[in-house]
Amino acid sequence: MIKIVKASIEHSELIAEIGKRAFLESHGDSASIKDINDFISKTFNKESVSKEFENRNSIYHIIYFNDKAAGFSKVELNTSNVNVKDIEITKLDRLYLLKEFYGKNLGSGLIDFNIQLSKDNNQKGIWLAVWTENQRAINFYSKKGFKIVGKYNFKISETHSNPNHIMFLKY
């Protein structure tokens, strides 16, 4: 059974744990071990995630499969991007799914949920950044109708950035 629930600050530790694992699974070889570990330690800890809940435009959801947390999403409403002319658009900041749950249509369910959430909040579209080497994710988003509209360098450390595509889905 699939269940998507809105997360609260009380879920910060769970989100941090999923974030660590999912980031390692999908990006673990994208930079040096030190850079990856430093990034994960800084980004995916209870305090950092808790602080993100202070932004009222940020909304987290956790997806469960058979009562086990399988992943999460974070969207930011009304967040523009220089590659998109439209205003009143949503940023899909994170959509993380643990590898053990791949192939169960959870990612599809979670992205569809977030697209509907964005539409329900009168947004004109949704955008995201995806690592150029993550072909699985690029194919996934393309099948959902996202188009590559620009580029972005995702900073892992002071000395390393990963090239990303900016993808946009206009409603």
Side-chain angles (χ1 to χ4, degrees), residues 6-119:
K6 186 174 182 181
S8 67
I9 197 165
E10 287 78 25
H11 294 103
S12 295
E13 192 166 353
L14 174 61
I15 290 167
E17 284 304 313
I18 293 170
K20 283 178 198 174
R21 283 183 51 205
F23 192 86
L24 273 173
E25 290 171 352
S26 62
H27 294 81
D29 61 353
S30 69
S32 72
I33 293 170
K34 181 187 181 329
D35 285 348
I36 292 292
N37 286 337
D38 289 349
F39 176 81
I40 287 172
S41 295
K42 181 181 73 176
T43 306
F44 299 112
N45 63 70
K46 184 179 179 182
E47 294 74 29
S48 293
V49 173
S50 293
K51 188 158 180 58
E52 291 180 353
F53 279 94
E54 293 173 13
N55 178 351
R56 296 287 178 218
N57 284 333
S58 292
I59 305 168
Y60 276 97
H61 285 89
I62 300 171
I63 189 163
Y64 292 87
F65 183 74
N66 293 335
D67 296 322
K68 186 171 180 188
F72 72 89
S73 63
K74 176 188 173 195
V75 296
E76 295 177 3
L77 301 173
N78 297 306
T79 303
S80 63
N81 182 285
V82 297
N83 298 287
V84 180
K85 291 184 173 100
D86 295 272
I87 54 172
E88 297 176 341
I89 56 175
T90 299
K91 177 183 182 184
L92 177 61
D93 192 42
R94 296 189 189 123
L95 193 147
Y96 286 4
L97 190 65
L98 296 172
K99 204 172 217 171
E100 67 190 87
F101 295 99
Y102 286 9
K104 299 181 182 339
N105 290 319
L106 301 180
S108 186
L110 195 53
I111 189 74
D112 292 346
F113 178 88
N114 281 286
I115 290 168
Q116 190 59 52
L117 175 69
S118 175
K119 289 177 179 179

